[in-house]
Amino acid sequence: MVKYSYNTLVYAGEDIEEGIARISKFGYDGVEFVGDHENLDADRIKELLNKYSIAASSICAIYNTERDFVSSNPDIRKNAIQYVKDCVDFAHTIGAQGISLTPTANMKIHPETDLETERSWAVEGIREAGLYAGEKGIRITVEPWNRYETYLVNRMEQSLDIVKKVDLPNVGCMGDTYHMNIEENDISEAFRLAGDKLFYVHFADSNRAAPGRGHIDFKPIAKALKEMNYDGYISMELLPPSADPFGGARHEEFYDQYTQESIDYLKKLFAEI
Ligand code: LER
Ligand code: MN
């Protein structure tokens, strides 16, 4: 059985308690948090998760020009590794199982060095972060992003290649249907390719709205996940229709409406297949 989670990334301008309460109210199993451990109080979140009887699913780590696994500046590469280690501590305190990772700064679309060197820095850095995460029982998932957000890992086969080279039991792949709809030939086949290395999933429709509001056909995807016996989280990562969706503006429909609608839509879909 899959588990359902909702990423609080889109809940701008409210206290984290409101988000946790909402996600619990609509019947989710888990809450996904942004890797913003400097502004989020881990002990308080742990108490709130207890209060609303819900788990933490994963930490959505955000990389920027100050923390980039493949920067030509070794200090910035070190910052990226340290950032994941800090996210691991945060995850450990709140009981989250994993951390999502992409080895480049978000929205960086040009390499600084040759791709072979950058890939080897990615493997090296993820391995160091993965060893630290493994000691605390936390998994790391390598997420492909579409070509407008990164150039290094755009498809599942590239995530799997890095994961195989890192070669740690707690480091695996993830897929985000929004990115996959742009980059993969066949979304279901890409999930199947990851096999038992598929550790985590983000769902959003083709326009990043709630599943059912765009033109992705979720039926074959749900079927593939079921046939693979995937029993991890499907986390809704819905974002506004904006060139910079990470800007933090409040879009009303992503709060109660899409939180409720997404889980209802997916539970019905999984029951039908
Ligand atoms: C980025 O587009 C993404 O998909 C997230 O999981 C991380 O911010
Ligand atoms: Mn995602």
Side-chain angles (χ1 to χ4, degrees), residues 65-114:
T65 47
E66 294 307 308
R67 47 190 194 223
D68 177 344
F69 278 91
V70 298
S71 167
S72 52
N73 178 337
D75 289 334
I76 293 178
R77 298 204 296 275
K78 272 194 207 127
N79 289 347
I81 298 169
Q82 188 53 49
Y83 170 62
V84 182
K85 290 182 179 176
D86 294 343
C87 286
V88 168
D89 295 341
F90 177 51
H92 186 66
T93 306
I94 67 169
Q97 297 177 340
I99 293 166
S100 57
L101 180 158
T102 292
T104 55
N106 189 250
M107 304 289 197
K108 177 184 168 193
I109 55 166
H110 298 290
E112 293 168 52
T113 313
D114 67 282

Side-chain angles (χ1 to χ4, degrees), residues 150-221:
T150 188
Y151 55 90
L152 201 67
V153 183
N154 300 122
R155 295 180 305 282
M156 190 67 85
E157 83 205 41
Q158 295 168 318
S159 165
L160 191 59
D161 181 58
I162 289 183
V163 163
K164 281 183 176 162
K165 286 181 177 137
V166 169
D167 195 23
L168 290 174
N170 63 317
V171 176
C173 301
M174 70 178 278
D176 177 328
T177 56
Y178 168 74
H179 299 296
M180 296 169 91
N181 176 60
I182 299 171
E183 301 300 344
E184 302 285 359
N185 293 334
D186 182 322
I187 299 176
S188 311
E189 283 311 307
F191 276 125
R192 288 183 206 274
L193 179 73
D196 60 7
K197 273 295 189 183
L198 184 70
F199 284 4
Y200 200 69
V201 173
H202 275 164
F203 263 22
D205 215 319
S206 50
N207 48 4
R208 256 185 165 168
R213 290 210 166 244
H215 52 73
I216 294 181
D217 182 0
F218 282 95
K219 211 167 194 170
I221 299 171

Side-chain angles (χ1 to χ4, degrees), residues 29 36 78 95 101 110 128 142 172-173 190 193 216 222 251 258 262 268:
D29 305 287
D36 184 16
K78 272 194 207 127
L101 180 158
H110 298 290
E128 184 179 334
V142 181
C173 301
L193 179 73
I216 294 181
H251 289 252
Y258 285 177
S262 304
K268 188 165 173 283

